[in-house]
Coordinates of all heavy atoms in Angstrom, one line a residue:
R1 N 25.4 -0.9 -7.8 CA 25.2 -0.7 -9.2 C 24.8 0.7 -9.6 O 25.2 1.3 -10.6 CB 24.1 -1.7 -9.7 CG 23.8 -1.5 -11.2 CD 22.9 -2.6 -11.6 NE 23.6 -3.8 -11.8 CZ 23.1 -5.0 -12.2 NH1 21.8 -5.1 -12.3 NH2 23.9 -6.0 -12.4
W2 N 23.8 1.3 -8.8 CA 23.3 2.6 -9.2 C 23.5 3.7 -8.2 O 23.0 4.8 -8.4 CB 21.8 2.5 -9.4 CG 21.5 1.6 -10.6 CD1 22.1 1.6 -11.8 CD2 20.4 0.7 -10.8 NE1 21.5 0.7 -12.7 CE2 20.5 0.1 -12.0 CE3 19.4 0.2 -9.9 CZ2 19.6 -0.9 -12.5 CZ3 18.6 -0.8 -10.3 CH2 18.6 -1.3 -11.6
G3 N 24.2 3.5 -7.1 CA 24.5 4.5 -6.1 C 23.3 5.1 -5.5 O 22.4 4.3 -5.0
P4 N 23.2 6.4 -5.4 CA 22.1 7.0 -4.7 C 20.7 6.7 -5.3 O 19.7 6.6 -4.6 CB 22.4 8.5 -4.8 CG 23.9 8.6 -5.0 CD 24.2 7.4 -5.8
K5 N 20.7 6.6 -6.6 CA 19.4 6.2 -7.3 C 19.0 4.8 -6.8 O 17.8 4.5 -6.6 CB 19.5 6.2 -8.8 CG 19.4 7.5 -9.4 CD 19.4 7.4 -10.9 CE 19.3 8.8 -11.5 NZ 19.3 8.8 -13.0
G6 N 19.9 3.9 -6.7 CA 19.6 2.6 -6.1 C 19.1 2.6 -4.7 O 18.2 1.9 -4.4
A7 N 19.7 3.5 -3.9 CA 19.2 3.6 -2.5 C 17.8 4.2 -2.5 O 17.0 3.8 -1.7 CB 20.2 4.6 -1.8
A8 N 17.5 5.2 -3.4 CA 16.2 5.7 -3.4 C 15.1 4.7 -3.9 O 14.0 4.6 -3.4 CB 16.2 7.0 -4.4
I9 N 15.5 3.9 -4.9 CA 14.6 2.9 -5.4 C 14.3 1.9 -4.3 O 13.2 1.5 -4.0 CB 15.2 2.2 -6.6 CG1 15.2 3.2 -7.8 CG2 14.4 0.9 -7.0 CD1 16.0 2.7 -9.0
A10 N 15.4 1.4 -3.6 CA 15.2 0.5 -2.5 C 14.3 1.0 -1.4 O 13.4 0.3 -0.9 CB 16.6 0.1 -2.0
T11 N 14.6 2.2 -1.0 CA 13.8 2.9 0.0 C 12.3 3.0 -0.4 O 11.4 2.6 0.4 CB 14.3 4.2 0.4 OG1 15.7 4.1 0.8 CG2 13.5 4.9 1.5
S12 N 12.0 3.4 -1.6 CA 10.7 3.5 -2.1 C 10.0 2.2 -2.1 O 8.8 2.0 -1.7 CB 10.6 4.2 -3.5 OG 10.9 5.5 -3.4
V13 N 10.7 1.2 -2.6 CA 10.1 -0.2 -2.7 C 9.8 -0.7 -1.3 O 8.7 -1.2 -1.0 CB 11.0 -1.2 -3.4 CG1 10.6 -2.6 -3.3 CG2 11.0 -0.8 -4.9
V14 N 10.6 -0.5 -0.4 CA 10.4 -0.9 1.0 C 9.2 -0.2 1.6 O 8.4 -0.8 2.3 CB 11.7 -0.8 1.9 CG1 11.4 -1.0 3.3 CG2 12.8 -1.8 1.4
W15 N 9.1 1.1 1.4 CA 8.0 1.8 2.0 C 6.7 1.3 1.4 O 5.7 1.1 2.2 CB 8.1 3.3 1.6 CG 9.1 4.1 2.5 CD1 9.6 3.8 3.7 CD2 9.6 5.4 2.1 NE1 10.5 4.7 4.1 CE2 10.5 5.7 3.2 CE3 9.4 6.2 1.1 CZ2 11.2 7.0 3.2 CZ3 10.1 7.4 1.1 CH2 11.0 7.8 2.1
I16 N 6.7 1.1 0.1 CA 5.4 0.6 -0.5 C 5.1 -0.8 0.0 O 3.9 -1.1 0.4 CB 5.6 0.6 -2.1 CG1 5.7 2.0 -2.6 CG2 4.5 -0.2 -2.7 CD1 6.1 2.2 -4.0
V17 N 6.0 -1.7 0.1 CA 5.8 -3.1 0.5 C 5.3 -3.0 2.0 O 4.3 -3.7 2.3 CB 7.0 -4.0 0.4 CG1 6.9 -5.3 1.1 CG2 7.3 -4.2 -1.1
Q18 N 6.0 -2.3 2.8 CA 5.6 -2.2 4.2 C 4.2 -1.7 4.4 O 3.4 -2.2 5.2 CB 6.6 -1.4 5.0 CG 6.3 -1.4 6.5 CD 7.3 -0.7 7.4 OE1 8.1 0.0 6.8 NE2 7.4 -1.0 8.6
N19 N 3.9 -0.6 3.7 CA 2.5 0.0 3.8 C 1.5 -1.0 3.3 O 0.4 -1.1 3.9 CB 2.4 1.3 3.1 CG 3.1 2.4 3.9 OD1 2.9 2.5 5.1 ND2 3.8 3.3 3.2
L20 N 1.7 -1.7 2.2 CA 0.8 -2.6 1.7 C 0.6 -3.8 2.6 O -0.5 -4.3 2.8 CB 1.1 -3.1 0.3 CG 1.1 -2.0 -0.8 CD1 1.5 -2.6 -2.1 CD2 -0.3 -1.4 -0.9
L21 N 1.7 -4.3 3.2 CA 1.6 -5.4 4.2 C 0.7 -4.9 5.4 O -0.2 -5.7 5.8 CB 2.9 -5.8 4.7 CG 3.8 -6.6 3.7 CD1 5.2 -6.8 4.3 CD2 3.1 -8.0 3.5
V22 N 0.9 -3.8 5.9 CA 0.2 -3.3 7.0 C -1.3 -3.0 6.6 O -2.2 -3.3 7.4 CB 0.8 -2.0 7.7 CG1 -0.1 -1.5 8.8 CG2 2.2 -2.4 8.2
L23 N -1.5 -2.5 5.4 CA -2.9 -2.3 4.9 C -3.7 -3.6 4.9 O -4.8 -3.7 5.3 CB -2.8 -1.6 3.6 CG -4.1 -1.2 2.9 CD1 -4.8 -0.1 3.8 CD2 -3.9 -0.8 1.5
V24 N -3.0 -4.6 4.3 CA -3.7 -5.9 4.2 C -3.9 -6.5 5.6 O -4.9 -7.2 5.9 CB -2.8 -6.9 3.3 CG1 -3.3 -8.3 3.4 CG2 -2.9 -6.4 1.9
T25 N -3.0 -6.3 6.5 CA -3.1 -6.8 7.9 C -4.3 -6.1 8.6 O -5.1 -6.8 9.3 CB -1.8 -6.5 8.7 OG1 -0.7 -7.1 8.1 CG2 -2.0 -7.1 10.1
V26 N -4.5 -4.8 8.3 CA -5.7 -4.1 8.9 C -7.0 -4.8 8.3 O -7.9 -5.1 9.1 CB -5.7 -2.6 8.6 CG1 -7.0 -2.0 8.8 CG2 -4.6 -1.9 9.4
R27 N -7.0 -5.1 7.1 CA -8.2 -5.7 6.5 C -8.4 -7.1 7.1 O -9.5 -7.5 7.4 CB -8.0 -5.8 5.0 CG -9.0 -6.6 4.2 CD -10.4 -6.0 4.3 NE -11.3 -6.7 3.5 CZ -12.6 -6.9 3.8 NH1 -13.1 -6.4 4.9 NH2 -13.3 -7.6 3.0
W28 N -7.3 -7.8 7.2 CA -7.4 -9.2 7.7 C -7.8 -9.2 9.2 O -8.7 -10.0 9.6 CB -6.1 -9.9 7.5 CG -6.0 -11.3 8.0 CD1 -6.9 -12.3 7.8 CD2 -5.0 -11.9 8.8 NE1 -6.5 -13.5 8.4 CE2 -5.4 -13.2 9.0 CE3 -3.9 -11.4 9.3 CZ2 -4.6 -14.1 9.8 CZ3 -3.1 -12.2 10.1 CH2 -3.4 -13.6 10.3
K29 N -7.1 -8.4 10.0 CA -7.4 -8.5 11.5 C -8.6 -7.6 11.9 O -9.2 -8.0 12.9 CB -6.1 -8.0 12.2 CG -4.9 -8.8 12.0 CD -5.0 -10.3 12.5 CE -4.9 -10.4 13.9 NZ -5.1 -11.8 14.4
L30 N -8.8 -6.5 11.3 CA -9.9 -5.6 11.8 C -11.1 -5.7 10.9 O -12.2 -5.2 11.3 CB -9.4 -4.2 11.9 CG -8.1 -4.0 12.8 CD1 -7.7 -2.6 12.8 CD2 -8.4 -4.5 14.2
G31 N -11.0 -6.2 9.6 CA -12.2 -6.4 8.8 C -12.6 -5.3 7.9 O -13.7 -5.3 7.4
F32 N -11.8 -4.3 7.7 CA -12.2 -3.2 6.8 C -11.0 -2.6 6.1 O -9.8 -2.8 6.5 CB -12.9 -2.1 7.6 CG -12.1 -1.4 8.6 CD1 -11.3 -0.3 8.4 CD2 -12.2 -1.9 9.9 CE1 -10.6 0.3 9.4 CE2 -11.4 -1.3 11.0 CZ -10.7 -0.2 10.7
W33 N -11.2 -2.0 5.0 CA -10.2 -1.3 4.2 C -10.1 0.1 4.7 O -11.1 0.8 4.9 CB -10.5 -1.3 2.7 CG -10.3 -2.7 2.1 CD1 -11.3 -3.5 1.6 CD2 -9.1 -3.4 1.8 NE1 -10.8 -4.6 1.1 CE2 -9.4 -4.6 1.2 CE3 -7.7 -3.1 2.1 CZ2 -8.4 -5.5 0.9 CZ3 -6.8 -4.0 1.8 CH2 -7.1 -5.2 1.1
V34 N -8.9 0.6 4.8 CA -8.7 2.0 5.2 C -8.8 3.0 4.0 O -9.3 4.1 4.1 CB -7.3 2.2 5.9 CG1 -7.1 3.6 6.3 CG2 -7.3 1.3 7.1
T35 N -8.4 2.5 2.9 CA -8.4 3.3 1.7 C -9.8 3.2 1.0 O -10.5 2.2 1.2 CB -7.3 2.9 0.7 OG1 -7.5 1.5 0.4 CG2 -5.9 3.1 1.3
P36 N -10.2 4.2 0.3 CA -11.5 4.1 -0.4 C -11.5 3.1 -1.5 O -10.5 2.8 -2.1 CB -11.7 5.5 -1.0 CG -10.4 6.2 -0.9 CD -9.6 5.5 0.1
S37 N -12.7 2.6 -1.8 CA -12.8 1.6 -2.9 C -12.8 2.3 -4.2 O -13.0 3.5 -4.3 CB -14.2 0.8 -2.7 OG -15.2 1.7 -2.9
P38 N -12.6 1.5 -5.3 CA -12.6 2.1 -6.6 C -14.0 2.8 -6.9 O -14.1 3.8 -7.6 CB -12.4 1.0 -7.6 CG -11.6 0.0 -6.8 CD -12.1 0.1 -5.4
R39 N -15.1 2.2 -6.4 CA -16.4 2.9 -6.6 C -16.4 4.2 -5.9 O -17.1 5.1 -6.4 CB -17.5 2.0 -6.0 CG -17.7 0.8 -6.8 CD -18.8 -0.2 -6.4 NE -19.5 0.3 -5.2 CZ -20.6 -0.3 -4.7 NH1 -20.9 -1.5 -5.2 NH2 -21.2 0.2 -3.7
A40 N -15.7 4.4 -4.8 CA -15.7 5.7 -4.2 C -15.0 6.8 -5.1 O -15.4 7.9 -5.1 CB -15.0 5.7 -2.8
W41 N -14.0 6.4 -5.8 CA -13.3 7.3 -6.7 C -14.2 7.7 -7.8 O -14.1 8.8 -8.3 CB -12.0 6.6 -7.2 CG -11.0 6.5 -6.2 CD1 -10.6 5.3 -5.6 CD2 -10.1 7.5 -5.6 NE1 -9.6 5.6 -4.7 CE2 -9.3 6.9 -4.7 CE3 -10.0 8.9 -5.9 CZ2 -8.4 7.6 -3.9 CZ3 -9.1 9.6 -5.1 CH2 -8.3 8.9 -4.2
R42 N -15.2 6.9 -8.2 CA -16.1 7.2 -9.3 C -17.3 8.0 -8.8 O -18.1 8.5 -9.6 CB -16.6 6.0 -10.0 CG -15.5 5.3 -10.8 CD -16.1 4.2 -11.7 NE -17.0 3.3 -10.9 CZ -16.7 2.0 -10.6 NH1 -15.6 1.5 -11.1 NH2 -17.6 1.3 -10.0
G43 N -17.4 8.1 -7.5 CA -18.5 8.8 -6.9 C -19.8 8.0 -6.7 O -20.9 8.6 -6.5
T44 N -19.7 6.7 -6.7 CA -20.8 5.8 -6.5 C -20.7 4.9 -5.3 O -21.1 3.8 -5.3 CB -21.1 5.0 -7.8 OG1 -19.9 4.2 -8.0 CG2 -21.3 5.8 -9.0
A45 N -20.1 5.4 -4.3 CA -19.8 4.6 -3.1 C -21.0 4.2 -2.3 O -21.1 3.2 -1.7 CB -18.8 5.3 -2.2

């Protein structure tokens, strides 16, 4: 349908999904988040 743009969209979506799946797996199996919490972004971590 969209040619190279479609390939770029598909690739980006797959990267995002894969990283989020692995991120949630780290939380589930190891018990902590690798990324900072929203409170850390506000400076009140």
Side-chain angles (χ1 to χ4, degrees):
R1 178 175 281 174
W2 293 320
K5 280 187 182 180
I9 292 168
T11 302
S12 287
V13 168
V14 169
W15 283 344
I16 291 168
V17 168
Q18 185 172 19
N19 283 320
L20 292 179
L21 284 173
V22 176
L23 184 68
V24 169
T25 303
V26 166
R27 171 68 174 142
W28 178 50
K29 298 300 282 181
L30 304 179
F32 61 89
W33 289 109
V34 178
T35 57
S37 69
R39 289 182 4 178
W41 290 104
R42 291 192 307 251
T44 58

